[in-house]
Amino acid sequence: MIEKEELERLQKLSLDDKISLTQLRISEWYDYWLGHVFVSFSGGKDSTVLLDIARKCYPDIKAVYVDTGLEFPEVREFALSKDNITVLKPEMNFRDVIKTYGFVFPSKDVARTIRYYNMGSEWAKSRMDGKRIDSDEPSKYMQDRYGKYKFLLDAPFKISDMCCEIMKEKPLIEFVKCNKLYPIIGTMAVESSRRKQAYLKSGCNNYKSTRKRSAPISFWTEQDILTYIVENGIEIPSVYGKIVDTPKGYILTGEKRTGCMFCPIGAHIEKPFNKFQRMKIRHPEMYKYCMEQLGLKELCEYANIPIE
C-alpha cells in the first residue's frame, strides 16, 4: 500500500526527478520479467511520452496497439506509423458491444454500479439510492456520485461498464496470456479516482495481481506530460492541436483527451462544447454515423447532452 501523502510528494517532484524514477520503475519491471514486456500504446499523448522514455531505456521494446475502430483517425494513423508495433483487434465491434452490453455512461464507476443494480446487487442498490453502504443512511457524497443518475435505470437503452473490457482489455489479456509478455501502461493517478486507488494499492509496479502491470508514470501530472513533449520535441497526433504556454502552464488548443471517439463518458459535464459538438465540426461524417447508426443521439437526448 502507498500512502496518499507519498503520492502527493511524488507529484511535486521536478520533472527531471520524475523521469529518473520512471526509468527506474521501467528497468525494475524489465529486469524482473527478463525483458518479456511491452508498452501498451494507444497513440495518445500520455502513452507517446511513456513509449519515448521506455525506448530511450530499451530501444527494441515492443509496443502493442489495440485497434478498436473507436479512435480518432488522426490518433490511429499516428499509432500505426510507429516502428515495432503489434496491432490487436477486439472480437466484437462497438455496435455489437453496445447492443449486447450497453453504453458506458456517465462514468465507468456509475455504469458498473448500474450493471450490478440490474443484477440485483444490494450494494449497487444502496449506491443508486444515495445511501451509505455500511449504515443504509442517506449520504450527500453517494447522492452526488450515484443517486443523481438513478434516472438512467429507466433509460430506453442499456448501461454497463463492459465496453472497455471487451474492446480494449480483453485483447490485451489474451495477448499477455499467449505471449507471456507483461504490459507497461501510461495511466496516471490524477486521471480518475479509480486510477488513484489502483496506484495507492500497489504502486507503479504490480507484480502480484491477476492482471500484472507496470504504470511508471502514475505520479505524473498533465503539466508534466505537456512539458516533456515540449522540451523533447515529441510529435503527437494533430487532433490535440498546439501546445501553448500560458501564465497558468501549458494548454492544448485541440482535444484534451482522445480515448475512444464515440464514448459518451464525461460529455454531460464538458463545457462550453462537449466532444460530440466538437466532433460535428471536425469529423462530421463520424458524428453522423455515431448519432444515427450507433444510437448516441438517443442517449444524448435522454441525458440532456447538447449535440448541436
Side-chain angles (χ1 to χ4, degrees):
M1 295 291 290
I2 308 294
E3 297 295 330
K4 65 177 183 179
E5 290 79 12
E6 173 63 7
L7 172 58
E8 291 169 358
R9 183 189 72 80
L10 293 175
Q11 289 173 331
K12 294 176 182 177
L13 291 175
S14 70
L15 180 55
D16 285 343
D17 286 341
K18 288 181 178 180
I19 294 170
S20 296
L21 185 54
T22 292
Q23 291 170 331
L24 175 62
R25 294 292 175 259
I26 291 172
S27 296
E28 290 171 342
W29 189 253
Y30 188 97
D31 292 343
Y32 185 88
W33 297 111
L34 303 178
H36 298 153
V37 303
F38 67 93
V39 174
S40 180
F41 180 60
S42 69
K45 59 180 173 48
D46 301 346
S47 66
T48 297
V49 167
L50 173 62
L51 184 62
D52 185 74
I53 296 173
R55 286 189 168 169
K56 283 177 177 175
C57 296
Y58 304 100
D60 296 328
I61 196 168
K62 183 188 295 294
V64 175
Y65 171 71
V66 182
D67 188 5
T68 65
L70 304 177
E71 295 79 16
F72 283 88
E74 298 93 335
V75 173
R76 181 177 185 274
E77 181 181 358
F78 176 79
L80 295 178
S81 72
K82 294 294 182 180
D83 295 330
N84 192 16
I85 182 166
T86 296
V87 180
L88 309 179
K89 288 184 177 291
E91 294 179 359
M92 294 180 72
N93 61 41
F94 184 60
R95 185 197 293 268
D96 289 340
V97 169
I98 58 177
K99 181 179 179 180
T100 305
Y101 300 103
F103 294 102
V104 186
F105 180 79
S107 67
K108 290 181 184 178
D109 188 29
V110 175
R112 176 176 178 269
T113 301
I114 290 174
R115 176 164 67 91
Y116 275 91
Y117 181 102
N118 291 329
M119 294 166 57
S121 171
E122 288 300 320
W123 66 261
K125 185 176 186 304
S126 293
R127 282 186 177 184
M128 297 308 295
D129 286 340
K131 297 179 180 179
R132 293 172 57 91
I133 296 175
D134 54 356
S135 66
D136 203 37
E137 293 292 323
S139 163
K140 185 178 185 306
Y141 172 81
M142 299 300 276
Q143 176 59 37
D144 290 343
R145 190 173 179 86
Y146 304 100
K148 68 181 181 181
Y149 297 113
K150 194 171 182 178
F151 72 96
L152 291 171
L153 297 171
D154 299 318
F157 45 81
K158 296 178 182 178
I159 297 283
S160 86
D161 61 328
M162 293 298 292
C163 184
C164 295
E165 182 169 335
I166 299 297
M167 299 293 288
K168 288 187 173 182
E169 294 177 18
K170 188 175 179 180
L172 284 171
I173 291 170
E174 290 299 317
F175 178 82
V176 168
K177 182 179 179 180
C178 293
N179 295 276
K180 303 298 182 184
L181 298 175
Y182 299 93
I184 304 172
I185 64 176
T187 57
M188 297 185 294
V190 294
E191 294 176 300
S192 68
S193 59
R194 175 180 288 191
R195 289 179 174 177
K196 179 179 179 180
Q197 291 306 313
Y199 175 79
L200 294 177
K201 183 178 180 180
S202 58
C204 289
N205 291 347
N206 188 338
Y207 300 99
K208 298 180 179 180
S209 73
T210 303
R211 298 183 181 181
K212 300 173 179 60
R213 91 296 177 267
S214 172
I217 61 170
S218 289
F219 51 89
W220 285 45
T221 66
E222 178 78 357
Q223 280 301 302
D224 294 325
I225 294 293
L226 296 179
T227 302
Y228 185 94
I229 291 170
V230 170
E231 292 184 352
N232 290 273
I234 304 298
E235 181 186 2
I236 57 175
S238 60
V239 71
Y240 286 112
K242 296 180 180 180
I243 299 177
V244 178
D245 194 5
T246 76
K248 293 185 178 181
Y250 290 114
I251 62 170
L252 292 162
T253 60
E255 293 294 324
K256 306 302 183 287
R257 309 294 306 174
T258 50
C260 294
M261 194 172 183
F262 303 151
C263 179
I265 287 179
H268 62 301
I269 56 175
E270 282 190 287
K271 297 184 185 308
F273 300 105
N274 63 53
K275 65 191 305 179
F276 299 124
Q277 291 172 307
R278 296 193 301 272
M279 190 194 302
K280 184 177 182 181
I281 297 171
R282 296 173 181 170
H283 301 89
E285 291 302 317
M286 292 185 132
Y287 171 86
K288 183 178 180 181
Y289 172 74
C290 76
M291 289 297 159
E292 298 180 3
Q293 302 297 319
L294 298 179
L296 276 162
K297 182 177 180 180
E298 182 181 33
L299 182 151
C300 290
E301 289 178 345
Y302 187 85
N304 198 29
I305 299 172
I307 55 175
E308 297 295 336

